[in-house]
Amino acid sequence: HAFVLSLFAPRSYSCAMLAALFGAPFKGAKCKTNLRLAMGRIKLLKGKRALSLSRLRVEIALLLRDSSSSVNAGEQARIRVEGVLREEDTLAAYEVLEIFCELLAVRMPLIEQQKECPVDLREAVASVLYAAPRLTELAELKVVATLFSHKYGRDFARAAMDPSSALECGCNPRIVRFLGVEPPRPDVKLAK
C-alpha cells in the first residue's frame, strides 16, 4: 500500500500526509480499547465529582447559616449553588456516557462491518462526539471521537459537536442539556 503510493507521490510527501489526505482506515480495536478506558475513567471521575459535590453542599449550608451575620454569605451561597448544579449535570452526563460507551464497545463488530452509522447506534455515536470536546478530562473520548470522525465523515462529526445541530444528528437531548453553557434559571437555584 505504502509502496504503491510512493510510486505516484513526489518524494516530499510522507505516507502520513497521504493517509491524512485519503483518510485513515477505522481501527475498531483501538476504538473499543479507548471506549473501555473511558468507562474506567468515568467511574473514577464520578467518585471524585460526588465527593466534591458533598463538600460544596456542606459549604453552602455553612454559608446559609452565616448569612444572617454577613451580607456576602447569602450571595456566595447562591454562586456556589450554580457550582452544585453544574457538578450534578456533569455527573448525570457521565452516567449517560458510560452507558453509551458500553453499548458502542459491545457493538463494535457491527460498527466495523457497516460503512454508515447504524440507526440504533446513531444516538450513542452523536452523543460521544458532542461530549468529547466538552469533557476534556476524558482524553479517551477525544480519541474515540476522532476515530468516529474518520469513520462517518467530518461533516457528521462537526454537526454532532455543534450545539445548534446536535439534536438533529441524533445526540441525546439530556447530554446537550447537561453539558450546555447556559446558567441555571433563578427558580432552579432557589429550589436547591
Side-chain angles (χ1 to χ4, degrees), residues 9-116:
R11 295 278 180 213
S12 62
Y13 290 110
S14 69
C15 289
M17 288 172 61
L18 290 172
L21 238 166
F22 295 113
F26 179 74
K27 296 179 177 117
K30 181 177 181 179
C31 189
K32 186 174 183 176
T33 300
N34 278 287
L35 285 166
R36 297 273 183 211
L37 290 170
M39 288 172 9
R41 187 172 307 253
I42 287 171
K43 285 180 182 159
L44 283 172
L45 290 172
K46 281 189 332 190
K48 284 183 179 180
R49 295 260 180 180
L51 189 63
S52 170
L53 193 58
S54 65
R55 279 193 212 126
L56 275 172
R57 286 184 175 139
V58 168
E59 287 177 20
I60 291 169
L62 292 173
L63 285 169
L64 288 174
R65 186 187 69 193
D66 297 339
S67 67
S68 60
S69 63
S70 173
V71 177
N72 291 336
E75 186 60 32
Q76 287 177 350
R78 274 190 226 104
I79 293 169
R80 299 258 170 94
V81 166
E82 283 189 35
V84 167
L85 293 171
R86 173 66 56 205
E87 291 288 321
E88 287 175 345
D89 285 349
T90 304
L91 271 172
Y94 283 160
E95 293 287 336
V96 175
L97 283 171
E98 188 175 17
I99 292 167
F100 284 153
C101 287
E102 177 69 28
L103 174 68
L104 291 169
V106 169
R107 304 290 300 276
M108 193 52 62
L110 177 67
I111 292 170
E112 287 178 303
Q113 288 175 354
Q114 295 185 0
K115 185 175 178 176
E116 295 296 318

Side-chain angles (χ1 to χ4, degrees), residues 126-159:
S127 297
V128 166
L129 285 168
Y130 183 82
R134 288 162 180 80
L135 297 173
T136 55
E137 63 272 15
L138 290 170
E140 297 85 1
L141 221 55
K142 185 74 173 164
V143 173
V144 171
T146 302
L147 291 168
F148 282 143
S149 175
H150 289 299
K151 172 87 174 161
Y152 299 122
R154 289 198 177 116
D155 291 337
F156 174 71
R158 275 193 210 111

